[in-house]
Amino acid sequence: MKIAIGSDHAGFDYKAPLVDVLKELGHDVEDFGPATADSVDYPDFAHPVSSSVEDGKSQFGILICGSANGVAITANKHQGVRAAIAWQKEISVLARLHNDANIICIPARFIDLDLAKEIVKAFLTTDFEGGRHANRVNKISCS
């Protein structure tokens, strides 16, 4: 699968190790930055990741910032994007199972790197359950 990834300065230290995990799992990864840990504006990185998912260039996206709130709010402005914040593995599983989430948002200031890796792996290996959830997901978009 093709995975888009981006962060802000608070999530920067998690980005490269997550890219390594994704590549080890055989995924093609597009890193939208940033390239340093210098202070940046999270929308500058959340929008390109979200656009890649929105346009179908990437099947999934991963966004990392301090709380995950800023990147999730930004990502969810894009049509067809369902970005979910996950601070536990089980939440990432439910985001896929019930919400067909296609971007996972990681709160780097609140979880350790090992848990972030588990969350991402669970997210990418869980399929949307469909069924009764499909009707709900189909009602999310405003257009």
Side-chain angles (χ1 to χ4, degrees):
M1 283 188 288
K2 179 130 184 214
I3 312 295
I5 192 168
S7 72
D8 70 356
H9 50 280
F12 179 78
D13 289 341
Y14 283 27
K15 189 165 56 77
L18 288 173
V19 167
D20 291 342
V21 166
L22 294 168
K23 288 181 177 180
E24 287 170 10
L25 294 172
H27 299 296
D28 180 19
V29 181
E30 185 167 3
D31 183 348
F32 285 93
T36 71
D38 295 342
S39 183
V40 296
D41 297 332
Y42 59 81
D44 294 341
F45 304 94
H47 281 304
V49 168
S50 302
S51 291
S52 183
V53 172
E54 180 180 32
D55 297 341
K57 294 175 184 168
S58 297
Q59 285 75 41
F60 292 103
I62 300 167
L63 290 167
I64 316 138
C65 76
S67 69
N69 284 305
V71 293
I73 291 167
T74 303
N76 280 315
K77 299 294 183 192
H78 292 257
Q79 289 300 313
V81 166
R82 291 170 302 281
I85 300 171
W87 59 94
Q88 294 177 346
K89 178 181 169 183
E90 295 79 10
I91 291 172
S92 70
V93 169
L94 287 173
R96 286 288 306 131
L97 278 174
H98 293 179
N99 308 115
D100 199 16
N102 49 19
I103 295 181
I104 195 72
C105 302
I106 306 292
R109 290 186 177 145
F110 296 91
I111 64 171
D112 65 30
L113 180 58
D114 287 335
L115 180 53
K117 291 176 182 178
E118 286 182 39
I119 288 169
V120 167
K121 287 177 188 176
F123 182 77
L124 295 175
T125 58
T126 302
D127 292 324
F128 177 49
E129 193 171 68
R132 69 185 191 276
H133 303 291
N135 188 48
R136 298 167 187 158
V137 169
N138 290 334
K139 293 180 178 182
I140 292 173
S141 181
C142 292
S143 60

